[in-house]
Amino acid sequence: MKWVTWLPRIVGFLLWFAREVLVSNLAVMHDVFTVQQRSSPIVVRCRSRCRTEFETATLAVLISLTPGTLTLATAARAGGEDGLPPGHDLYVHVMYDNDPDSARRRLREFETRLLRAVRAEGAPP
């Protein structure tokens, strides 16, 4: 049954991602065309739950495609840290979130939606 729902999950993710790009574009355009600056840039480390390099690369690229965010680097992570399996940490520049924990939550939601779409079994726990 998991395979039957795979295509609708991918389509749902693409629609959600298109909405995120549109909303982010509007926020960046507002900052460009008005005197008031609402940006408060920070760099955060996001501990990824991606299992493959395809998932990690896709996540990094889609984060960078969203206006106001940029994946600066990825770093390999040894297993056992914080109970996470071996994987990658992403370092992300975020323009519109001055709270690192809030930025990590938003990136975690992004990652969960992506993994739900690309994995046959759905989202990670």
Short mmCIF file of all heavy atoms in Angstrom, two decimals, residues 6 11 18 36 38 44 62 70 82 90 109 112 116 123:
data_model
loop_
_atom_site.label_atom_id
_atom_site.label_comp_id
_atom_site.label_asym_id
_atom_site.label_seq_id
_atom_site.Cartn_x
_atom_site.Cartn_y
_atom_site.Cartn_z
N TRP A 6 2.74 6.73 -3.12
CA TRP A 6 3.98 7.44 -3.39
C TRP A 6 3.78 8.62 -4.34
O TRP A 6 4.21 9.75 -4.05
CB TRP A 6 5.01 6.47 -3.96
CG TRP A 6 6.43 6.92 -3.82
CD1 TRP A 6 6.89 8.08 -3.29
CD2 TRP A 6 7.57 6.19 -4.22
NE1 TRP A 6 8.24 8.13 -3.31
CE2 TRP A 6 8.70 6.97 -3.90
CE3 TRP A 6 7.76 4.97 -4.83
CZ2 TRP A 6 10.00 6.55 -4.15
CZ3 TRP A 6 9.07 4.56 -5.08
CH2 TRP A 6 10.17 5.33 -4.75
N VAL A 11 3.49 14.59 -5.51
CA VAL A 11 2.72 15.73 -6.04
C VAL A 11 2.38 16.70 -4.91
O VAL A 11 2.51 17.92 -5.07
CB VAL A 11 1.45 15.24 -6.77
CG1 VAL A 11 0.54 16.40 -7.12
CG2 VAL A 11 1.83 14.45 -8.02
N ALA A 18 6.12 24.62 -4.04
CA ALA A 18 5.81 25.77 -4.89
C ALA A 18 5.23 26.91 -4.07
O ALA A 18 5.57 28.08 -4.26
CB ALA A 18 4.85 25.36 -6.00
N GLN A 36 12.16 49.52 4.75
CA GLN A 36 12.25 48.71 5.97
C GLN A 36 12.83 47.33 5.67
O GLN A 36 12.41 46.65 4.75
CB GLN A 36 10.85 48.53 6.57
CG GLN A 36 10.83 47.69 7.82
CD GLN A 36 9.41 47.44 8.29
OE1 GLN A 36 8.45 47.80 7.61
NE2 GLN A 36 9.28 46.81 9.43
N ARG A 38 13.28 43.59 7.02
CA ARG A 38 12.75 42.64 8.00
C ARG A 38 13.67 41.44 8.20
O ARG A 38 13.39 40.59 9.01
CB ARG A 38 11.37 42.15 7.56
CG ARG A 38 10.34 43.24 7.51
CD ARG A 38 8.98 42.72 7.18
NE ARG A 38 9.03 41.88 5.98
CZ ARG A 38 8.06 41.09 5.59
NH1 ARG A 38 6.96 41.01 6.28
NH2 ARG A 38 8.16 40.38 4.49
N VAL A 44 22.52 28.21 10.84
CA VAL A 44 22.19 27.13 11.78
C VAL A 44 22.70 25.80 11.24
O VAL A 44 22.85 25.63 10.03
CB VAL A 44 20.67 27.02 12.03
CG1 VAL A 44 20.14 28.25 12.72
CG2 VAL A 44 19.90 26.75 10.77
N LEU A 62 17.05 21.90 -2.65
CA LEU A 62 15.73 22.52 -2.50
C LEU A 62 15.74 23.62 -1.45
O LEU A 62 15.03 24.62 -1.59
CB LEU A 62 14.68 21.46 -2.18
CG LEU A 62 14.37 20.50 -3.33
CD1 LEU A 62 13.37 19.44 -2.90
CD2 LEU A 62 13.89 21.24 -4.56
N LEU A 70 19.91 29.35 2.16
CA LEU A 70 21.03 28.88 1.35
C LEU A 70 21.78 27.82 2.12
O LEU A 70 22.19 28.06 3.27
CB LEU A 70 21.96 30.04 1.01
CG LEU A 70 23.21 29.70 0.22
CD1 LEU A 70 22.84 29.24 -1.19
CD2 LEU A 70 24.14 30.89 0.17
N ASP A 82 23.87 12.11 19.47
CA ASP A 82 22.47 12.45 19.73
C ASP A 82 21.52 11.33 19.31
O ASP A 82 20.37 11.59 18.97
CB ASP A 82 22.08 13.75 19.02
CG ASP A 82 22.85 14.95 19.53
OD1 ASP A 82 23.35 14.88 20.67
OD2 ASP A 82 22.93 15.93 18.80
N LEU A 90 23.71 19.73 7.83
CA LEU A 90 23.68 20.81 6.86
C LEU A 90 23.83 22.13 7.59
O LEU A 90 23.24 22.33 8.66
CB LEU A 90 22.34 20.83 6.10
CG LEU A 90 22.16 19.85 4.96
CD1 LEU A 90 22.01 18.44 5.46
CD2 LEU A 90 21.00 20.24 4.11
N GLU A 109 10.76 20.43 9.39
CA GLU A 109 9.49 20.22 8.71
C GLU A 109 9.72 20.05 7.21
O GLU A 109 9.13 19.17 6.57
CB GLU A 109 8.53 21.39 8.94
CG GLU A 109 7.24 21.25 8.18
CD GLU A 109 6.38 22.50 8.17
OE1 GLU A 109 6.75 23.51 8.77
OE2 GLU A 109 5.31 22.44 7.53
N THR A 112 11.14 16.58 6.68
CA THR A 112 10.12 15.55 6.86
C THR A 112 9.22 15.46 5.64
O THR A 112 8.92 14.37 5.15
CB THR A 112 9.29 15.85 8.12
OG1 THR A 112 10.15 15.84 9.25
CG2 THR A 112 8.20 14.81 8.32
N ARG A 116 9.08 12.20 3.23
CA ARG A 116 7.79 11.55 3.04
C ARG A 116 7.51 11.37 1.54
O ARG A 116 6.93 10.37 1.12
CB ARG A 116 6.67 12.37 3.67
CG ARG A 116 5.30 11.71 3.59
CD ARG A 116 4.21 12.53 4.22
NE ARG A 116 4.51 12.90 5.60
CZ ARG A 116 4.40 14.13 6.08
NH1 ARG A 116 3.99 15.12 5.32
NH2 ARG A 116 4.70 14.38 7.33
N ALA A 123 7.51 9.05 5.63
CA ALA A 123 8.34 9.89 6.49
C ALA A 123 9.04 9.09 7.57
O ALA A 123 8.53 8.06 8.02
CB ALA A 123 7.50 10.99 7.13
#
